[in-house]
Amino acid sequence: MSTKRYGMVIDLRRCVGCEGCTVACKSENGVPLGHFRTWVQKHEKGVFPNVSMQFVPKLCNHCEDPACVSVCPTGASFKRSEDGIVLINQDDCIGCKYCMVSCPYGVRYLDESKGVVDKCTWCVHRVEQGVVPSCVNTCITGARIFGDLNDPHSDIAKFIATHPVQQLKPEAGLGPNVYYVALDKDFNTTLGNR
Amino acid sequence: MELNRRNFLKLGAATGALAYVGGQAVVSAEELLKGGKDFDKKGQARKAIPSSCFQCPAICGIIAYVENGRVVKIEGNPAHPNNQGTLCAKGQAGISQAYDAQRILYPMVQTKERGDKTGWKRVSWDEALDLVARRMKKNIDEKRPDKIYLMPGRDRSAGYLARFAAAIGTPHVISRSGTCSQSKKAGFMEAWGYDSNWNDYANAKVVLNFGHGVMESGSVFVGNSKQAVKGIVENGTYFVTIDPRLSNTAAKSSEWVPIKPGTDLAMLLAMHYVILKNNLQDPDMAKWFNYPLDKYLEHLEKNGYTPAWAEKICGVPAATIERLAKLFATKKPGCVTAYKGIGTHTNGAMTTKAVILLAALVGNLNVKGGTFYNKTASFKNPPAPPAATAKKTPALKSNPLQSDANTTLFEKWSEGVGEVDMIMTWVHNPVYVLGNAQQKIDILKDRKKIPFFAAIDLFMSESTALADVVLPDVSYLERNDPESHYPVSGKPWVAIRQNVLKGEKPIGEGKEQCEILRAIAQKLGPEYGKYFDISREEYVRFSVRDSLPGFEDWGGYEKLKQVGVYAYEYPTGKFEYDGLAKKTVADKDLEGTIFDEKTGIYYKPLKDKEGKLIEKDGQPQPDTAAAVGIKLEDGKVYKGWNTGHKKIGLFSEKWEKQFPGMGLPVWAQSTTVAEAKEGELILFQYKFATMTHSRTSNCKWLSELRHDNPILMNPADARKLGLKDGDKVKVTSKTNAKVFTLQVTEGVMPGTAGNGWGPGHWEYGAFATAGEGVTAEMKAADPDYGRIWWKEKGTNGNWLPAPVTDPIGGSQEWATPVKIAKA
């Protein structure tokens, strides 16, 4: 079996900022109030009347070389060899938050009720059943594409082959697997969580 | 409630990776028959029950996934032609409507003064229904059923409420449409005989959007967003949004044109002028107007409706107006859209009429890529009681043109006009959604003004909290309705809303509204109850029969329950764009019709209820409500437009008669905007993508995203007023003063102030009020009650507007001059 490398494209030309993905994720994964595994940042620039606004959905980038995995003292954070999904083994997590500090994208949170760190899993439970992640499933304008970057016949690989794409903070050198279309370079430096 | 149903690590180890099905939702309509595709923590497929959303009026198709007797997830129904398997934040957050721990579970009676929280007493259904029925009977027996007012929030009962009103004999069913679309409907109706439109955004070259939240909150925004984004991204549609605010929609548009609230009519008139002056009108359309276009140009010239004139009023540069008018007239096809934004001003009906006229002038009505009307399903009702004989109180409306009295009703009541003995609301919150909230509170609290107040509701809203009797409703996830609405993808559809928890343990004692009405009718006696001898489910089965071509052959009601929606496919496989006005009428369809020489219209003959001809002096008479076609100068008989005169209504006889000088499009200033004094800003209202006006703040995931509604202000104004972002500001109008948070943004026009609807509750539960009244019991039911982290709950903008309405259309005027200063 060849190795998969899951990735996501978010086409910002299509995102209308409805936050359907944000709620789909909370509902699908039972994310407690106060935390988000995906969210939509709204960036405004310009001076009236020449003002523009862009919506930028954010989530775990499931990096090629994830800082959160290398700093984890217990090995709870790990990257799955078979498909590249970055997960947390909650039985081994001690809630030290090193990973939260190390992540340049601010996508991890401490679930106080369990004392463990949590984040986007790319809806691994759905993906394993052949169903796209909940945020992708619900996106009203089809702005999110999910699939195997290693499979040249996948929608995502075909899309990336034919469209210019950007990553968030490529300079961090972590190899993020979330790609954006039409990302305003002025917004790329905006840090982290909501 | 524990929604976290995954232990992904164990699951991952147990099942290994299956093949990924790429790109889109994998549940097809046929798969739904087999139980859908969503998985519990053991990897078992969940029970999937299709239904219809009711978080907003778009009525998207949904699938409720049920596990252990609870809805655990709501997704979009892939079979639905509008939302196509996707769903917005509001739709998915609807789970809260069923499982909110503060949901009203039992009938209650107020034993003290209205609004006293300590006065509620739980009673039996029998007792509560007796109270309501006895009060109704008293009015009926006194031959004054007109003193009973039925006030629905959103009536999706498909005739059931009207049936109840007819049975008890009251003509007073007062909706809430004046808050929103009432004037738009009047304007559209006058122009082309339909009160609505849809727009083929995906195939349009140019879109002119006058203040409509097409891609965030407007009617059917999920379906519309799909079409609009497809047009912009794939087909190069030039999408222009004209709005005081850089809305989400404006942000996604090719061009944002800021405009002063309530002045779009000036821009539209100037665009009419530019098109006619430059002879850019569609030559084939000239014959379709009910007033000569050359004379209309004279009228525009005489009044000086030029772009330079409009610029002074609306703030849009003359060059922009001219450019957009020429663009719309030459780069075809295109569509023009408008809804509540420009309709809720005192010139709302006139403005929205000018919108349809703009599309008509350049020939963009009913063409591919243009502005359309399309059919919805037609529902039949079981034999109904005769219509009410009691007279409406005409003085309740400010003039007879208004279709509904909802915006003027409280004014009239406060003036002592329109005798009222009892009101019964149904998920309607007049205190929260109409202008001048304090006045509504004062009237609803006053037992002298309104002697009896029954509320059918699911939550303690700001209005229901003032009732004498509360009859518990159920959520939209537990009720039954036939549904049909705008076919924004071009496919008309019929859908079902059904109790997805049927057979599970009921939540409290709530009953769906129609069953409550039925129970009241039965209490009133057999002469009323006889019209209600079928259950709501059976009523729905009756309603949907033959509601669209091919529906019964497809599988009818039974299949609808399993799949959720039936979408009509045109025989040619695509929407018949030109299927209406310009089609000629076949000779055989003219047989037996009556030709009117003066107008060229062919009418069906007037018949009585038994289908017998009604004759006068031995001659059949024309049924002026049933025109078959119109003969034009070319000698051909066309189907014509949906207006009574079969043409495009450039001149309105009805309006001219009521308001001399307003038959043709003329500039009319918004009366509140006209009153603005030096130093005042024009406050306008808008809707968020994640919140409705009054009934979704109890949804925890929505209030978490949208709990505050700051006043938007341009930095230029903020500097002048010495204010900065985040300040608490006091906003003062003629009717009230309230404190808001200030948000300084370049995305709003100087001289205006924006305020979003939704937040600002002082009732409606803990999630709506930033955590007020959370108990240990509530936290046990859902730990999220203990995690409400936000401190702001916003301020309802409805305190501020004066109760002023559009004289023609009847919508509330939402633009309000205000003073803003540091609180």
Side-chain angles (χ1 to χ4, degrees):
Chain A
M1 195 173 80
S2 64
T3 309
K4 290 184 194 306
R5 182 164 69 98
Y6 282 127
M8 187 180 288
V9 161
I10 304 180
D11 187 344
L12 301 182
R13 298 171 305 166
R14 291 179 180 268
C15 176
V16 294
C18 77
E19 303 184 90
C21 50
T22 310
V23 173
C25 176
K26 296 210 81 148
S27 174
E28 180 72 37
N29 297 296
V31 179
L33 289 191
H35 302 299
F36 296 88
R37 296 185 183 188
T38 185
W39 67 96
V40 182
Q41 278 187 333
K42 204 167 158 174
H43 300 276
E44 189 182 291
K45 75 168 186 183
V47 176
F48 180 88
N50 301 309
V51 198
S52 66
M53 185 162 64
Q54 186 162 59
F55 308 105
V56 185
K58 299 205 171 160
L59 73 166
C60 175
N61 282 271
H62 295 267
C63 302
E64 278 309 289
D65 188 12
C68 54
V69 169
S70 37
V71 300
C72 180
T74 67
S77 281
F78 68 102
K79 187 171 173 69
R80 291 215 307 198
S81 55
E82 68 265 37
D83 54 17
I85 301 181
V86 175
L87 296 171
I88 302 158
N89 184 339
Q90 297 199 336
D91 292 340
D92 294 341
C93 177
I94 54 171
C96 71
K97 303 201 223 177
Y98 281 10
C99 56
M100 289 169 61
V101 176
S102 77
C103 174
Y105 303 108
V107 301
R108 293 179 162 236
Y109 61 88
L110 182 74
D111 184 337
E112 296 86 351
S113 64
K114 296 178 185 155
V116 295
V117 170
D118 224 330
K119 68 164 192 74
C120 161
T121 68
W122 264 343
C123 286
V124 62
H125 56 282
R126 288 175 66 103
V127 170
E128 284 175 344
Q129 302 289 348
V131 182
V132 293
S134 196
C135 57
V136 177
N137 181 58
T138 210
C139 180
I140 68 171
T141 54
R144 293 186 185 226
I145 306 169
F146 179 81
D148 181 7
L149 295 162
N150 283 348
D151 173 6
H153 303 295
S154 69
D155 289 349
I156 189 169
K158 283 192 277 188
F159 187 93
I160 288 178
T162 52
H163 292 76
V165 291
Q166 302 94 39
Q167 295 159 302
L168 286 180
K169 299 178 202 283
E171 69 281 3
L174 303 179
N177 277 315
V178 176
Y179 296 87
Y180 293 87
V181 177
L183 178 69
D184 188 318
K185 62 180 178 1
D186 292 353
F187 302 148
N188 200 358
T189 52
T190 313
L191 230 180
N193 220 322
R194 296 172 54 91
Chain B
M1 175 168 57
E2 187 55 56
L3 275 175
N4 193 347
R5 53 187 196 259
R6 327 284 189 192
N7 182 332
F8 48 79
L9 285 173
K10 283 175 191 155
L11 176 68
T15 60
L18 296 180
Y20 162 68
V21 182
Q24 52 185 300
V26 297
V27 189
S28 73
E30 297 306 320
E31 281 175 314
L32 271 181
L33 291 168
K34 298 177 224 147
K37 281 272 175 75
D38 190 51
F39 302 93
D40 69 8
K41 58 189 167 192
K42 293 183 193 116
Q44 297 295 308
R46 292 204 160 87
K47 193 165 136 196
I49 306 171
S51 190
S52 295
C53 192
F54 198 35
Q55 287 282 70
C56 92
I59 319 287
C60 289
I62 57 172
I63 300 169
Y65 289 101
V66 178
E67 186 179 321
N68 300 326
R70 286 181 79 96
V71 177
V72 291
K73 181 103 197 290
I74 300 173
E75 290 185 1
N77 185 348
H80 201 290
N82 279 10
N83 60 305
Q84 300 169 24
T86 68
L87 200 60
C88 78
K90 291 175 290 206
Q92 298 176 88
I95 293 179
S96 286
Q97 302 290 10
Y99 300 117
D100 188 324
Q102 287 164 292
R103 173 175 163 170
I104 299 170
L105 298 176
Y106 312 104
M108 290 189 295
V109 170
Q110 176 60 268
T111 59
K112 296 179 181 169
E113 288 303 302
R114 281 186 189 159
D116 189 331
K117 283 188 167 65
T118 66
W120 290 116
K121 184 183 136 204
R122 178 179 166 180
V123 296
S124 69
W125 265 109
D126 201 46
E127 201 174 329
L129 291 170
D130 262 341
L131 262 175
V132 176
R134 274 207 306 271
R135 194 78 187 198
M136 277 186 185
K137 195 74 184 5
K138 169 180 153 305
N139 287 292
I140 296 168
D141 288 346
E142 289 168 3
K143 309 237 176 303
R144 292 300 305 275
D146 57 303
K147 287 163 78 173
I148 304 166
Y149 284 74
L150 304 176
M151 301 170 71
R154 278 190 224 122
D155 181 15
R156 299 304 291 181
S157 70
Y160 208 93
L161 184 66
R163 155 182 298 259
F164 181 81
I168 64 169
T170 180
H172 290 136
V173 179
I174 312 277
S175 80
R176 33 125 323 266
S177 71
T179 316
C180 181
S181 58
Q182 193 172 319
S183 282
K184 180 221 75 171
K185 287 179 177 172
F188 279 17
M189 200 71 191
E190 211 52 31
W192 72 326
Y194 298 110
D195 67 5
S196 61
N197 66 352
W198 71 274
N199 292 287
D200 190 10
Y201 299 122
N203 293 304
K205 289 206 172 83
V206 178
V207 176
L208 296 181
N209 165 29
F210 285 89
H212 183 188
V214 175
M215 289 178 263
E216 63 198 291
S217 58
S219 193
V220 201
F221 101 88
V222 170
N224 276 333
S225 295
K226 277 185 207 308
Q227 304 298 326
V229 166
K230 188 175 178 197
I232 294 166
V233 176
E234 295 172 26
N235 299 337
T237 303
Y238 194 76
F239 203 105
V240 182
T241 291
I242 301 131
D243 198 304
R245 177 180 68 103
L246 182 69
S247 60
N248 292 10
T249 304
K252 298 311 291 182
S253 297
S254 321
E255 182 176 350
W256 171 43
V257 178
I259 191 166
K260 285 180 194 159
T263 66
D264 299 67
L265 178 58
M267 179 166 171
L268 282 157
L269 290 168
M271 291 177 91
H272 291 185
Y273 169 84
V274 170
I275 288 165
L276 289 170
K277 186 74 183 168
N278 292 284
N279 212 18
L280 295 174
Q281 69 275 17
D282 182 337
D284 291 338
M285 277 302 290
K287 62 177 184 245
W288 282 112
F289 288 88
N290 73 341
Y291 190 88
L293 289 182
D294 50 347
K295 282 206 172 144
Y296 181 49
L297 177 59
E298 279 172 30
H299 160 84
L300 295 169
E301 281 179 323
K302 193 181 81 206
N303 283 289
Y305 295 153
T306 62
W309 161 83
E311 174 177 343
K312 285 191 202 118
I313 295 170
C314 68
V316 179
T320 303
I321 298 175
E322 181 148 354
R323 172 174 56 84
L324 292 176
K326 287 179 175 170
L327 182 74
F328 191 61
T330 54
K331 206 176 166 197
K332 293 196 278 188
C335 32
V336 51
T337 181
Y339 215 90
K340 189 210 93 239
I342 64 167
T344 53
H345 300 288
T346 58
N347 58 15
M350 186 65 88
T351 308
T352 46
K353 176 180 154 182
V355 163
I356 294 295
L357 292 178
L358 180 64
L361 279 173
V362 301
N364 273 341
L365 285 181
N366 286 347
V367 291
K368 185 175 182 177
T371 292
F372 280 91
Y373 179 78
N374 198 350
K375 65 183 164 193
T376 54
S378 53
F379 296 133
K380 279 168 281 302
N381 294 330
T389 48
K391 283 225 159 47
K392 274 196 186 191
T393 309
L396 288 175
K397 298 190 272 186
S398 60
N399 83 68
L401 291 181
Q402 292 175 357
S403 61
D404 203 342
N406 56 78
T407 47
T408 44
L409 189 65
F410 283 83
E411 295 320 295
K412 298 294 178 180
W413 280 346
S414 67
E415 292 162 10
V417 179
E419 287 175 81
V420 51
D421 181 67
M422 71 178 289
I423 65 172
M424 185 159 78
T425 57
W426 170 57
V427 197
H428 180 30
N429 194 353
V431 169
Y432 205 75
V433 302
L434 298 177
N436 197 0
Q438 189 59 49
Q439 175 200 47
K440 275 73 196 175
I441 294 170
D442 294 344
I443 294 173
L444 288 179
K445 267 193 163 174
D446 189 342
R447 285 192 171 120
K448 286 194 201 81
K449 289 213 163 75
I450 295 174
F452 190 85
F453 176 5
I456 300 173
D457 213 334
L458 184 59
F459 298 101
M460 258 320 158
S461 76
E462 286 71 12
S463 302
T464 297
L466 306 177
D468 296 310
V469 183
V470 177
L471 306 172
D473 197 359
V474 294
S475 73
Y476 71 94
L477 296 168
E478 301 148 82
R479 51 181 278 188
N480 300 278
D481 300 308
E483 276 296 359
S484 191
H485 204 31
Y486 298 135
V488 298
S489 72
K491 286 182 191 167
W493 50 271
V494 52
I496 195 167
R497 179 173 296 110
Q498 56 185 333
N499 180 1
V500 303
L501 291 170
K502 196 178 175 187
E504 306 296 346
K505 188 169 170 276
I507 303 165
E509 293 180 358
K511 290 180 200 284
E512 63 181 303
Q513 176 226 14
C514 292
E515 291 292 353
I516 294 174
L517 296 177
R518 187 176 174 215
I520 296 171
Q522 284 163 348
K523 281 263 181 205
L524 287 170
E527 67 271 42
Y528 305 94
K530 70 182 175 191
Y531 299 112
F532 298 88
D533 57 2
I534 72 172
S535 71
R536 179 61 182 167
E537 277 186 86
E538 287 304 314
Y539 185 94
V540 174
R541 180 199 292 270
F542 193 103
S543 296
V544 298
R545 198 189 309 157
D546 287 321
S547 52
L548 277 177
F551 173 64
E552 293 304 324
D553 290 342
W554 169 78
Y557 174 79
E558 290 305 328
K559 189 159 172 184
L560 200 59
K561 279 183 82 70
Q562 293 175 299
V563 177
V565 64
Y566 165 75
Y568 171 70
E569 297 280 355
Y570 284 89
T572 55
K574 58 184 185 196
F575 178 63
E576 291 164 14
Y577 287 101
D578 212 9
L580 299 165
K582 295 176 187 172
K583 262 195 177 168
T584 51
V585 182
D587 287 346
K588 68 171 173 50
D589 293 333
L590 294 175
E591 280 167 24
T593 57
I594 299 167
F595 182 61
D596 180 48
E597 289 281 351
K598 203 169 136 240
T599 58
I601 298 175
Y602 291 83
Y603 292 107
K604 282 187 179 163
L606 202 58
K607 288 178 180 172
D608 66 12
K609 268 187 187 159
E610 277 78 49
K612 270 176 43 192
L613 283 178
I614 300 175
E615 296 187 339
K616 201 176 152 193
D617 306 327
Q619 294 294 316
Q621 296 299 303
D623 180 354
T624 52
V628 176
I630 182 167
K631 190 187 232 169
L632 295 186
E633 277 174 11
D634 61 10
K636 289 181 191 158
V637 181
Y638 296 91
K639 288 185 117 173
W641 300 85
N642 204 43
T643 48
H645 46 67
K646 297 309 255 172
K647 290 193 172 181
I648 295 293
L650 178 52
F651 179 78
S652 168
E653 220 165 280
K654 221 162 63 178
W655 293 9
E656 182 69 27
K657 203 171 142 200
Q658 193 70 30
F659 300 101
M662 296 188 84
L664 279 179
V666 287
W667 168 242
Q669 172 71 294
S670 154
T671 53
T672 56
V673 174
E675 288 170 4
K677 294 182 199 74
E678 183 67 27
E680 288 186 332
L681 283 83
I682 306 297
L683 179 74
F684 65 89
Q685 318 278 334
Y686 63 93
K687 278 189 184 174
F688 299 109
T690 47
M691 191 58 80
T692 63
H693 196 159
S694 72
R695 58 181 87 189
T696 44
S697 283
N698 62 311
C699 297
K700 59 183 182 181
W701 296 317
L702 299 182
S703 267
E704 181 175 37
L705 290 173
R706 180 47 67 193
H707 40 265
D708 198 5
N709 56 347
I711 291 283
L712 309 179
M713 185 185 282
N714 188 281
D717 290 322
R719 271 194 302 276
K720 258 187 261 172
L721 296 167
L723 300 169
K724 60 178 195 308
D725 191 70
D727 277 352
K728 291 285 172 198
V729 292
K730 188 173 164 191
V731 182
T732 308
S733 73
K734 212 161 84 175
T735 55
N736 217 322
K738 287 281 163 186
V739 173
F740 295 75
T741 311
L742 187 72
Q743 183 185 338
V744 177
T745 168
E746 296 282 356
V748 67
M749 193 173 196
T752 74
N755 176 245
W757 269 326
H761 283 279
W762 58 95
E763 298 280 355
Y764 236 82
F767 293 121
T769 53
E772 281 175 21
V774 173
T775 64
E777 206 180 3
M778 285 157 64
K779 285 189 211 172
D782 180 355
D784 273 344
Y785 279 106
R787 300 179 184 129
I788 299 174
W789 52 267
W790 55 96
K791 304 279 179 267
E792 299 286 349
K793 61 172 188 174
T795 306
N796 186 10
N798 295 50
W799 292 104
L800 300 169
V804 176
T805 56
D806 175 8
I808 297 179
S811 274
Q812 163 81 37
E813 168 63 80
W814 286 114
T816 309
V818 291
K819 277 198 171 52
I820 301 182
K822 201 156 181 173

